Amino acid sequence: MFDYLKYIREWNFPHIWCSGCGDGIVLKALIRSIDKLGIDRDDAVMVSGIGCSSRTPGYIDINTLHTTHGRALAFATGVKLANPKLHVIVVMGDGDATAIGGNHYIHAARRNIDLTVLLYNNYIYGMTGGQVSPTTPRGMRASTAPFGNQEPPFNIAELAKAAGASFVARGDVYYVQKLEKIITRALEKKGFSLVEILSPCPTAYGRRNRMGHPVKMMEWIRDNTVPVAKYAKMTPEEREGKVCTGVIVDLDLPEYTEEYERLIEKVKAEK
Amino acid sequence: MFDYLKYIREWNFPHIWCSGCGDGIVLKALIRSIDKLGIDRDDAVMVSGIGCSSRTPGYIDINTLHTTHGRALAFATGVKLANPKLHVIVVMGDGDATAIGGNHYIHAARRNIDLTVLLYNNYIYGMTGGQVSPTTPRGMRASTAPFGNQEPPFNIAELAKAAGASFVARGDVYYVQKLEKIITRALEKKGFSLVEILSPCPTAYGRRNRMGHPVKMMEWIRDNTVPVAKYAKMTPEEREGKVCTGVIVDLDLPEYTEEYERLIEKVKAEK
Amino acid sequence: MAGDQSAAKQPAVIKVTVEWCKGCEICVAFCPKHVLEMEGGKVSVARPEDCNKCMLCELRCPDFAITIE
Amino acid sequence: MAGDQSAAKQPAVIKVTVEWCKGCEICVAFCPKHVLEMEGGKVSVARPEDCNKCMLCELRCPDFAITIE
Amino acid sequence: MDRYELRLSGSGGQGLILAGKILAEAVVIYDQRNAVQTQSYGPEARGGASKAEVVISDGEIDYPKATNLDLLLSLTQESCRKYSCDLKKGGILIIDSKAVTEIPEGEYKLYRAPISDIAVESVGKAVVTNIVALGILTKIAGVVSEEAVRKAILAKVPRGTEELNMKAFDAGLKTGEELLAS
Amino acid sequence: MDRYELRLSGSGGQGLILAGKILAEAVVIYDQRNAVQTQSYGPEARGGASKAEVVISDGEIDYPKATNLDLLLSLTQESCRKYSCDLKKGGILIIDSKAVTEIPEGEYKLYRAPISDIAVESVGKAVVTNIVALGILTKIAGVVSEEAVRKAILAKVPRGTEELNMKAFDAGLKTGEELLAS
Amino acid sequence: MTRKQSQSIFMMQGNQACAEGAILAGCRFFAGYPITPSSEIAETLAVKLPRIDGKFIQMEDEIGAMGAVIGAALTGMKAMTATSGPGFSLKQENIGYACMAEVPCVIVDVQRGGPSTGTPTLPAQMDVQQARWGTHGDHSIIVLTASSAQETFQNTILAFNFAERYMTPVILLLDEIVAHTTERVVLPDPETLEIVNRKQPAVPPEEYLPYRRTDDCIPILAPFGTGYRYNVTGLCHNETGFPTNTSQEIESQIIRLTEKIERHRGDIERNREILLEDADVAIFAYGAVARSARSAVRICRGEGIKVGLIEPVVLWPFPEERICEITGSIKAFVVPEMNLGQMAREVRLASRCAVDVHELHRVDGEPITPTQIADMVREVV
Amino acid sequence: MTRKQSQSIFMMQGNQACAEGAILAGCRFFAGYPITPSSEIAETLAVKLPRIDGKFIQMEDEIGAMGAVIGAALTGMKAMTATSGPGFSLKQENIGYACMAEVPCVIVDVQRGGPSTGTPTLPAQMDVQQARWGTHGDHSIIVLTASSAQETFQNTILAFNFAERYMTPVILLLDEIVAHTTERVVLPDPETLEIVNRKQPAVPPEEYLPYRRTDDCIPILAPFGTGYRYNVTGLCHNETGFPTNTSQEIESQIIRLTEKIERHRGDIERNREILLEDADVAIFAYGAVARSARSAVRICRGEGIKVGLIEPVVLWPFPEERICEITGSIKAFVVPEMNLGQMAREVRLASRCAVDVHELHRVDGEPITPTQIADMVREVV
Ligand SMILES: Cc1ncc(C[n+]2csc(CCOP(=O)(O)OP(=O)(O)O)c2C)c(N)n1
Ligand SMILES: Cc1ncc(C[n+]2csc(CCOP(=O)(O)OP(=O)(O)O)c2C)c(N)n1
Ligand code: SF4
Ligand code: SF4
Ligand code: SF4
Ligand code: SF4
Ligand code: SF4
Ligand code: SF4
Ligand SMILES: [Mg+2]
Ligand SMILES: [Mg+2]
């Protein structure tokens, strides 16, 4: 039996997430990965922004930092650069990371700084009650897209890739064992590691889009995700409406804080 | 003889740019493109951020809006959405567009809003005296990278592409006729059109990096740019240190303000 | 798959932390053995003997409310 | 290329706005015909008769300081 | 009437905010008296205890919050525990008898009915519990006309659910009548 | 000395800021008196007129800007035109006689020398014009010791250019001497 | 929001009333970024604007929203954004731009408790000094408030009118109580509303100077695209709109930015006053607290206590003169606020410290009650 | 910067002196974004920090820089950022976070004229009210200033000491003149400097409460990675650091944020005073203007005018009591500022309007001269 209690802040439970919210499922997968890798809780830091997903730090018993909306990666950059020995895990929602936080997102990826980023994508602003997000698919409804969203969404993973991330993957809370494996790989990777996670929001997204019941949202994930390898072989028509999951990028690139240590050595040698 | 005087604010000349600064060369190419397309000066708006390149609005006799650092695209989005009949040209430096302005950059590209973006890339913060930029190549010196830049630079064009831009191109001020053609195509394109332009800064970049003389910087561009088609055929080793120029992306995608007009029609019909 | 079999032999202990269960039905809907049911808005273990210890309910419960021993 | 030839025949009028010229030497360095020279930190038209009206000096002058007619 | 304060409480998702809005609109738009309606936002509103308040008056309503309740409706044990202390002496407490088993002490008039069961029985759906409660409350409080509430319900519920809601409201009215009579 | 104000002016890129810094350091670090140095930033500093100011005193220097000049050095016509009005009566004006042809009116002592030509003649490079000017000024102003300036130059110029700059400084000193003598 | 058939009586939240006011004021452009407790303003306009050829856009962040609003305003549109504390902080740089470039627009800040994320869903009035001083550099600014949905409706219109008349960003400061209380709002016949539209140039383009120094200190900015090609910048600029480094021009501009508001205090200042004539004690209250203050006045007057109330509709420029006048006839001020005394310091300054100013602070996320205020009034008397 | 061999006398700009002070104060982390007239601080530290195992990072923007500074500070490092007006506006949201979460750090704002881009290279003192009120929500903050390179060096150290002692962001407000004037700076023997380091928990992790309510109101935050696992948030929180919605906890936190500064005014306030004992007129001046004021005092005293000078080193909390005391013995204040009277209003408030406060404004990008001040003093006498 896996002992979650060791890793959670039991006194804060039950958590604030709605019935059927995927965020709790992700938290559990993360906990199992941390346990598997034997990461010391004292050396682990979780940094989050603002949003439902960003409330995760309240529930995990490591060093936790709940910052301002969109800025988690900036704070995390400070934490990691100041003390490269810490494992820094960054938790953000789609709005947090790619709307207001978009700039820190591409820059942290560019620097390839060793942060493990869990980006909970529920296609909506959950915390504030269902406004449209840069990841809301076209045509879907949100409180600020009452006639259906007319903006094209970001491909979060492609963006990280173009910006320079060394590890980019996508998982979901239906195929949760696969998610756990991906998170484990991301934690192991030295460099900016992005894991986009499809995590349903039945309350703010589901209800407005005929998926009010958590089970319906899980089914949607089950039926519309495709493993990367298979996705690669699909035609554009077949890809329509499908989301690929798995590891998309895994490159060996110089990591920022290691490069910085090298710089320090060089400069001190010159002096 | 081409009559630049028709398009410039003569009373502000000579301009503030340093001797050999590429920004004036770009301005001239833009003016010729505007002239060629017969764009009415009254209907054209130039929006810029803050930086040397962003001082361009002072010199061209159209509607001009010199905004805050990094925010030109946000202001431009307001201008264009409020009055889609206006031709909106956005002028930014590499720092302006991709450092502080990175978020607006990816979002304007994602929305594919009809803006013609001239991004003057001189690999440095010119205006403030030579600090490192997100486009400064590795190893090059800047006042805030005194030991050589250890951060990997953005590929500006790839970023726009990943974010969703419908037109992405790169030009330079040595091959200035080609630049003019690219700008003309960008102006004609309906949608977010990015033209990255290599424009030398001998003062803040060149001097620090053994290219203090404007002619040296022009030679560098001449010798290190490669047309897209040729670049595509090069090996990774051959590509090392080279920059490809030409049109990189040209797609037909729905344009934001047109989509918005469609939304209005739909909503009004429903009412 | 000897391990599986021996595990299957030992009946599963399915623990529910009722105060934490928010009744999302996810565990119920995706239990391959239909072990679980909803009752009064919370999960209830209807047929523990059918459980194959696949752990899926535990893995997918968002509320840390169900565990398999 | 009749056009080119006839153009070449008519001698070029190279106009320099001295107050605007900042002496960057770009026009001088890349003039294919070595028509231009630097003098006292500004451009000067040394050999107008050699000009082939390629326009490159005008196109590349950052300061709107040189034009070819 | 100087000031009549109601609080509808239960858990997030029970539709009490909507019920509060309907009540306030009934008073203002259809009974043409004055009312203001407020509600709890925030983490409270998600999952935990949730509340909507309506203050009714014939004059201006300066202070919009209900602090000295004339009537408290509680659909959950938690909300009942949390809010009953705000009831004024002699006030009215309406509870869902299935959900609230621990009855708070105090000088008030208690009315209990299996409200959500009534919803299921009357129209087969628990989602209309809020409307049933509204019917009970309309009858018992006597501060708003049935007609006004009826109109307000029709104006605010999703198209296609009017009949369902009317049935639920009627069931509530009937229950209220019985409670008053007993 | 109570307060001695100098301004070194010319165009951006002529190295006058560096000259100002050298002068101030010579006074403070090597002559162990007090000096403050300021300069123009901004668009002015790019291309147009550029200036560096040094205020020298034996006491505290409160107001750091030079407004009532004891000495003005001008290497361009533009800067001379712009700044000569700030010269105090009886002050010193040193100009590059090649660049400044229009001499402003006023009660001051004028010294002219083809400063940039001297630079080219002495070491073959116009870049040391600022150091030549520093030599002239050191001689003429008499507010800082030659030794101090010499040390300050050595401390501030790029490694490998020390000899060059010493030559230029010497050429300046010589010119200054001649000017004083004439 | 439901409408009564015969009359124009509606039930709506302050946030919805704000959106309705904006539309009637002529607002046709909204750029925002969601944030509690302001989001209903955006959500209402997202539905309503496209129906009347208006534009709604949710930007990537608050900074972008403020930028887009300014851009839209320069095309001649009336434009607005709405936010709460954290977003208000982010908008400050571009609000300063709007001050500097003199671009009319309206910024709504529905205050929450703070600093930082603070208490996102609880009421507070902690941004009143920030509204005045939040951006860098010297400037003046008009800040309005409201105590009910009805007033929110009216003052939103007033905010647009001030923006257009004085060519300046105008801030409407609301609190969570006003924003989220659903109450009766009477919408007047649009014909009866006074709507101000910014001046248009009276001269041809050749003679046009956007920032011409006029008697009223207010510039005339032609909408982009109407043939007047000029430059707009956040740098100090002269009458032409081009950057300047000349001291006189810099000075004249900076002073004018403040002057154009200060000089028109008479037109801008608006206070609602209750029973001040014979009052010994004056309560100074605004926003939702003013509602409680009204009750407190009623309670105290019932007990024979001579207490009155001044409710400023315009918080900035602060009603200095009126406070000074009132000071002459009273013995003390009582200033209840959902902060630690941010406006009380202004009352003190304006009263020239001639009478005692008693501060009543509440910063626990709960509204100030009539009883609390009445208690303090009793204590003071 | 050149060093004299035998003694520690250097010639440096205020900006360089700031960087030197930071290093001696123990700062080992700088995150910034370039902006005139502050960039030399970053540039100096970019060279120096790596040599002493420190970290320098140029972030993508000012918001990110402020975030990185807070993150670094939570690992136990002393961290700093530097900016000017536009960047200072952008940092406000995260400065508020540092206030709320009580994270020690130093923010340098080298003021320019404004609002907006304004006059990037010209001196001004227009952000003094913003430094106090720039972020949303109620809070208190410590703001220092300096009038010379030497003082900049010293006050940078003081800023770090205050930050560490009071667990709060501290702002150092400079002006372009101080920042860019190269002058003599004597660097003391590092051994002689008083350096404050934040307290470490004295209890084991099980008993540790990061925001425990202590007598001095100051929390003890263990560096991340040292075995004390706790939560840091910008939401209102209780002693444990977890978010709260309880009114008592919210109130106690908000009040404590102000109390922890207010209660230690005695330790924090620092004024430099010249000839105030017998003065009829007191000049109140800070930053570069204080230099001119000193000359003005000398000039006026030379003419027999009894004038003195108070130069606050700490602008906020404002030296209310001292000003009040001085008010008792003088006839008038003269307050010269490179703004439109931002501190003069504080002097007026603190003096309880008991004496006249004469304001001298200069907003044209030129420094205030000794003559100007002396003229006004003469007028006033
Ligand atoms: C500066 C700022 N702007 C806006 C907000 C309001 N806000 C809080 S969370 C959020 C978005 C949440 O969406 P997402 O990041 O997708 O997280 P989710 O709740 O969906 O997990 C917003 C807009 C804020 N707190 N701060
Ligand atoms: C908010 C803000 N931060 C910083 C600055 C200072 N600043 C002005 S221009 C600039 C960068 C200029 O670099 P780039 O955008 O590449 O333009 P260039 O001058 O090289 O053309 C910076 C950092 C500013 N004006 N505003
Ligand atoms: S609103 Fe959505 S994202 Fe937030 S807790 Fe509820 S289900 Fe999860
Ligand atoms: S500093 Fe560089 S970018 Fe700026 S004007 Fe000079 S050469 Fe051009
Ligand atoms: S372990 Fe598997 S079979 Fe057993 S109850 Fe859970 S989901 Fe059903
Ligand atoms: S998945 Fe968890 S919360 Fe959902 S019903 Fe099952 S036990 Fe309850
Ligand atoms: S037109 Fe061509 S050939 Fe003639 S001067 Fe110019 S560059 Fe030389
Ligand atoms: S290119 Fe233009 S500015 Fe440069 S030297 Fe030639 S004419 Fe002068
Ligand atoms: Mg989301
Ligand atoms: Mg650049």
Side-chain angles (χ1 to χ4, degrees), chain B residues 1 15 17 19 25 28 174, chain D residues 22 58 60-63 69:
Chain B
M1 198 195 87
H15 54 54
W17 294 312
S19 169
I25 309 179
K28 286 167 74 177
Y174 182 85
Chain D
K22 295 199 185 113
E58 176 180 319
R60 292 206 189 100
C61 169
D63 288 272
E69 265 169 55

Side-chain angles (χ1 to χ4, degrees), chain B residues 181-213:
Chain B
K181 284 198 194 103
I182 291 174
I183 293 178
T184 307
R185 272 182 70 181
L187 282 168
E188 285 175 311
K189 181 82 189 176
K190 192 90 195 155
F192 187 86
S193 324
L194 170 78
V195 186
E196 176 188 343
I197 304 164
L198 306 186
S199 172
C201 168
T203 306
Y205 184 75
R207 278 199 208 157
R208 271 190 191 81
N209 292 291
R210 298 166 200 266
M211 290 182 284
H213 199 285

Side-chain angles (χ1 to χ4, degrees), chain B residues 50 52-53 69 93-96 122 124-128, chain H residues 34-35 62:
Chain B
I50 300 288
C52 292
S53 37
H69 188 38
D94 46 313
D96 198 59
N122 55 13
I124 202 85
Y125 289 9
M127 184 61 120
T128 44
Chain H
I35 184 165
E62 286 90 348

Side-chain angles (χ1 to χ4, degrees), chain A residues 1 4 8 10 13-15 17 19-21 24-25 27-28 32 173-174 176-177 213-215 218-219 222, chain C residues 15 19-20 22-26 29-30 54-69:
Chain A
M1 201 195 84
Y4 291 103
I8 67 172
E10 216 184 317
F13 278 70
H15 54 55
W17 294 311
S19 169
C21 175
I25 310 179
L27 173 57
K28 287 166 75 178
R32 293 191 303 273
V173 299
Y174 183 84
V176 64
Q177 288 142 310
H213 199 284
V215 171
M218 291 294 271
E219 287 168 351
R222 181 191 62 198
Chain C
K15 263 180 54 184
E19 316 83 68
W20 290 7
K22 295 199 185 113
C24 66
E25 281 187 60
I26 290 175
F30 301 107
C54 71
M55 304 295 287
L56 285 171
C57 55
E58 176 180 320
L59 290 170
R60 292 206 190 102
C61 169
D63 288 272
F64 296 70
I66 188 164
T67 52
I68 307 294
E69 264 170 54

Side-chain angles (χ1 to χ4, degrees), chain A residues 200-236:
Chain A
C201 168
T203 305
Y205 184 74
R207 278 197 209 158
R208 274 191 188 78
N209 293 292
R210 295 163 202 265
M211 289 182 286
H213 199 284
V215 171
K216 276 216 178 149
M217 300 214 66
M218 291 294 271
E219 287 168 351
W220 185 91
I221 294 178
R222 181 191 62 198
D223 301 340
N224 292 285
T225 51
V226 181
V228 179
K230 187 174 163 197
Y231 191 82
K233 290 184 212 124
M234 283 159 67
T235 63

Side-chain angles (χ1 to χ4, degrees), chain E residues 21 25 37 41 61-63, chain G residues 2 13 182 291 295 298:
Chain E
K21 290 203 182 294
E25 289 210 6
Q37 182 269 321
Y41 276 77
I61 301 168
D62 289 331
Y63 190 71
Chain G
T2 302
Q13 287 189 341
T182 299
R291 302 172 74 121
S295 292
R298 219 170 295 136

Side-chain angles (χ1 to χ4, degrees), chain A residues 136-207:
Chain A
T136 308
R138 266 197 134 110
M140 302 308 273
R141 279 169 203 269
S143 69
T144 46
F147 312 110
N149 178 28
Q150 84 265 23
E151 297 195 7
F154 271 138
N155 185 325
I156 294 185
E158 285 302 315
L159 201 57
K161 186 175 151 187
S166 61
F167 184 91
V168 179
R170 193 182 286 115
D172 64 73
V173 299
Y174 183 84
Y175 296 106
V176 64
Q177 288 142 310
K178 179 171 172 185
L179 174 65
E180 186 183 327
K181 284 198 195 102
I182 291 174
I183 294 177
T184 307
R185 272 182 70 182
L187 282 169
E188 284 174 314
K189 181 81 190 179
K190 193 91 195 153
F192 186 86
S193 324
L194 170 78
V195 187
E196 176 188 343
I197 303 165
L198 306 187
S199 172
C201 168
T203 305
Y205 184 74
R207 278 197 209 158

Side-chain angles (χ1 to χ4, degrees), chain F residues 3 21 24-26 28-30 32-44 60-65 67 151-152 155-156, chain H residues 1-5 7 9-11 13 36 40 121 123 176-177 180-184 288 290-292 294-295 298 367-370:
Chain F
R3 192 177 170 98
K21 290 202 183 294
E25 289 209 6
V28 174
I29 312 270
Y30 304 102
Q32 296 182 45
R33 292 164 62 208
N34 203 2
V36 308
Q37 182 267 323
T38 58
Q39 66 220 47
S40 61
Y41 275 77
E44 260 195 316
E60 283 299 304
I61 300 168
D62 290 331
Y63 190 72
K65 303 274 172 178
T67 47
K151 284 187 195 156
K156 293 216 78 99
Chain H
M1 204 190 64
T2 303
R3 204 190 149 181
K4 187 174 157 43
Q5 289 73 345
Q7 297 162 47
I9 298 178
F10 296 80
M11 278 300 273
Q13 287 190 339
T36 309
E40 295 84 359
T121 57
E176 193 272 343
I177 300 174
H180 281 163
T181 297
T182 299
E183 56 188 338
R184 182 187 149 101
R291 302 172 75 121
S292 295
R294 279 174 231 152
S295 293
R298 217 170 297 135
I368 293 181
T369 62

